[in-house]
Amino acid sequence: MKIAELKQQVYVLAQVDTTQALKRKFKEFNSLDLRKTASWMQVLHFLQARTQTAKVDELQSEVAAAERRWKQEDEKAAALNERLNEGLIELQDMQQDEQSLQHDSQALLDEAEAYLKTLTHRAERKRKASLN
C-alpha cells in the first residue's frame, strides 16, 4: 500500500486533515518518523484497534443498557402480575360472597314461603271454623 493511501485511511480514522493535527491529537505518535511507510502502518493498526475497541465498548454499553431496560420491564411485569393475582383472589372472594348471599337469600325466601303457607293454612282453618 502506498504512503498516500495509508495517510488518507489514517486521517479518516483519526478524523484529522494533516500530520500535525494527527500528532497534536495523539501524542503517542510524536516519536514516530511519519516519513516512513512502516510508521504510517503502525499508526493505522493502532487506530484500527482503537476503533474496534471503541465499537466493542459501545456494544457492551448498549448491551448493559438493554439489560437494565429488560430488568426494569421484568420488574414492572412482575408487579403487574402480582396485582393481577391479587385482583383474581378478590374476584374469587367476591364470587364466594355472591354465592353465599344467593344461598342466604334463597333460604330466606324458602322460610318466608313456609311461613306464608302456615299463615294461609291458619287463616283457612279459622275461616272454616267460623263458618261452622
Side-chain angles (χ1 to χ4, degrees):
M1 188 178 295
K2 294 182 181 180
I3 198 164
E5 293 171 351
L6 286 172
K7 280 184 178 184
Q8 286 306 339
Q9 287 183 6
V10 166
Y11 290 163
V12 168
L13 284 174
Q15 297 177 345
V16 296
D17 294 329
T18 65
T19 303
Q20 292 79 16
L22 177 69
K23 286 189 172 187
R24 274 194 306 274
K25 189 170 183 178
F26 298 95
K27 303 294 184 209
E28 54 265 53
F29 300 149
N30 286 339
S31 62
L32 295 176
D33 182 358
L34 293 179
R35 293 174 294 176
K36 297 181 180 180
T37 304
S39 295
W40 282 100
M41 287 294 289
Q42 190 177 348
V43 171
L44 180 62
H45 292 306
F46 173 85
L47 292 174
Q48 287 173 335
R50 187 168 179 253
T51 301
Q52 287 292 20
T53 300
K55 287 179 183 176
V56 168
D57 290 345
E58 183 181 334
L59 287 173
Q60 287 174 337
S61 177
E62 288 177 17
V63 166
E67 286 176 343
R68 283 191 301 276
R69 285 192 305 272
W70 179 82
K71 185 177 179 183
Q72 290 170 345
E73 293 302 319
D74 188 50
E75 288 171 355
K76 286 180 187 176
L80 288 172
N81 190 40
E82 181 65 28
R83 286 177 52 201
L84 179 61
N85 286 336
E86 289 171 359
L88 288 173
I89 289 170
E90 285 181 29
L91 180 60
Q92 289 172 344
D93 289 346
M94 289 170 65
Q95 287 173 335
Q96 287 176 350
D97 290 347
E98 180 186 13
Q99 288 173 352
S100 177
L101 287 172
Q102 285 176 349
H103 177 72
D104 292 348
S105 175
Q106 188 60 47
L108 286 172
L109 285 173
D110 293 346
E111 190 177 316
E113 254 181 38
Y115 185 67
L116 183 59
K117 283 182 184 179
T118 302
L119 288 177
T120 304
H121 286 315
R122 280 186 192 164
E124 186 64 31
R125 279 188 297 212
K126 281 186 180 181
R127 188 182 65 77
K128 284 183 183 180
S130 66
L131 289 177
N132 286 339

